[in-house]
């Protein structure tokens, strides 16, 4: 589709986090005038000094943007939204400790956009949420102000598809799903997003686009939970789960490889499916496969703690007073982000049982855990610890010191099976 609407010249990005900042830099690189809005002055200062977690190419883009104050501006003043041709909302959508969606930041950001909206603007929501969010938080409030959707203002939902630290798939090369409130809205949003991506896939409505994002990450959650269960089965049978997965992945159809680990972290997989479950429960709809997968994901760190206790006990050691080293506390390789990181839950579980826990992670210099700040070990020295638990392996980090560790639970499955299970008591083919 080639819409007739002219592309906006000025774009405001609401929320300058892991999605908003790379998006702002992409628009700036495409020649647009960009304003980044964030409520956190600490975050804005970090961007100004370059102290942010970005791919190398985006760090270069940030340097170029910061040297161009005429076309790249950072602010905490929401009044700037009224001067932008297009507004993209990229704020976090977390859940609380009961896995209930925390919609406050999203509601506040959408309200700001609505309050400052003017005729001729395009508003695009990118934050993951339940189906109907765009309608309830943007379309209906704008209409209540007397702005005609598709005529005075255009509104669309286009879920973000940014994978932090993944240089293989830059956002410009990833197809972008888009659903507008009207066909005119879809056309206007396509024109804007077409400046920073090579392909746009349109769907019939914002609700369809919202459901697309929930499906993407729920699919990953279910399959990671399955991979973790297979790792448990392989451990019991004395098999290498990675060998099994890699062999299955040689099938050119009907299989997609997912890797087991100590749990699931980050801002998407352990969070987004709960938006689907929350909405479904409110409607009386049961989703048992999704429910079971999320229960399994939530329970995974506790399972690691149990296996750590079993491994120590096998050598006559108790967890109380044991010296435990966690290797890698970031939620995934190549990032410094510890949001929802399973290593932190493992840390809490071991510490609650009396273990002395330290960590080694060159990407994460400091961790604030339950109000206490901890610093990474500068050198990987597993010999000073009673047990080593590997949670995350970063690229370009030397882990050779782990090769001959006696008590090692490796949940990246690079050195040995993580379970140290006895040989199977039944034949592999069955009883």
């Amino acid at each position: 589709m080639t819409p007739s609407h002219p592309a906006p010249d000025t774009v405001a990005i609401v929320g300058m986090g892991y999605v908003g900042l790379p998006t702002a830099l992409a628009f700036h690189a495409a020649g647009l005038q960009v304003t980044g809005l964030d409520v956190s002055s600490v975050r804005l200062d970090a961007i100004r000094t370059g102290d942010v977690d970005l791919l190398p190419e985006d760090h270069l883009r940030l340097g170029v943007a910061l040297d161009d104050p005429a076309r790249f501006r950072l602010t905490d003043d929401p009044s700037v939204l009224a001067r932008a041709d297009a507004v993209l909302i990229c704020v976090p959508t977390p859940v609380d400790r009961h896995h209930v969606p925390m919609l406050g930041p999203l509601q506040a950001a959408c309200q700001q956009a609505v309050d400052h909206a003017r005729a001729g603007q395009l508003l695009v929501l990118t934050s993951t949420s339940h189906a109907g969010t765009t309608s309830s938080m943007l379309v209906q409030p704008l209409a209540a102000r007397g702005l005609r959707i598709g005529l005075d203002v255009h509104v669309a939902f286009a879920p973000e598809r940014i994978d932090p630290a993944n240089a293989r798939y830059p956002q410009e090369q990833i197809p972008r799903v888009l659903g507008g409130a009207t066909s005119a809205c879809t056309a206007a949003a396509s024109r804007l997003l077409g400046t920073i991506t090579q392909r746009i896939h349109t769907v019939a409505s914002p609700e369809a686009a919202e459901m697309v994002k929930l499906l993407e990450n729920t699919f990953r959650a279910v399959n990671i939970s399955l991979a973790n269960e297979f790792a448990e089965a392989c451990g019991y049978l004395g098999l290498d789960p990675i060998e099994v997965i890699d062999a299955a992945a040689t099938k050119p159809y009907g299989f997609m490889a997912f890797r087991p680990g100590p749990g699931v972290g980050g801002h998407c997989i352990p969070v987004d499916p709960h938006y689907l479950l929350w909405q479904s429960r409110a409607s009386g709809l049961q989703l048992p496969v999704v429910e079971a997968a999320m229960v399994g994901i939530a329970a995974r760190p506790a399972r690691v703690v149990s296996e750590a206790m079993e491994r120590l006990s096998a050598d006559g050691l108790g967890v109380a007073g044991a010296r435990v080293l966690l290797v890698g506390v970031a939620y995934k390789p190549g990032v410094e982000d510890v949001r929802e990181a399973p290593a932190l839950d493992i840390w809490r579980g071991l510490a609650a049982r009396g273990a002395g826990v330290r960590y080694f992670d060159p990407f994460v210099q400091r961790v604030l855990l339950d109000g206490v700040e901890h610093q990474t070990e500068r050198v990987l020295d597993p010999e000073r610890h009673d047990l080593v638990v590997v949670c995350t392996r970063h690229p370009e980090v030397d882990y050779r010191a782990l090769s001959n560790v006696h008590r090692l639970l490796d949940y990246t499955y690079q050195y040995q099976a993580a379970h140290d299970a006895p040989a199977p008591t039944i034949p592999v083919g069955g009883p």
Side-chain angles (χ1 to χ4, degrees), residues 341-400:
L344 301 188
D345 286 332
I346 295 166
W347 188 336
R348 291 185 180 98
L350 291 169
R353 291 163 175 80
V357 182
R358 302 185 70 84
Y359 81 97
F360 172 80
D361 192 323
F363 278 62
V364 184
Q365 295 299 308
R366 294 176 180 80
V367 169
L368 187 65
L369 187 71
D370 301 329
V372 179
E373 184 176 281
H374 304 265
Q375 293 187 349
T376 182
E377 299 281 277
R378 296 301 174 185
V379 178
L380 179 55
D381 185 6
E383 298 302 322
R384 296 190 298 110
H385 298 83
D386 299 310
L387 176 68
V388 177
V389 181
V390 184
C391 298
T392 305
R393 294 177 75 248
H394 293 294
E396 301 178 5
V397 174
D398 185 357
Y399 293 103
R400 286 177 295 179

Side-chain angles (χ1 to χ4, degrees), residues 415-429:
Y415 301 101
Q416 64 182 60
H419 302 277
D420 284 332
T425 56
I426 58 172
V428 171

Side-chain angles (χ1 to χ4, degrees), residues 182-198:
T182 69
S183 58
C185 294
T186 299
S190 295
R191 180 63 174 165
L192 171 68
L193 295 176
T195 63
I196 62 169
T197 190
Q198 299 172 3

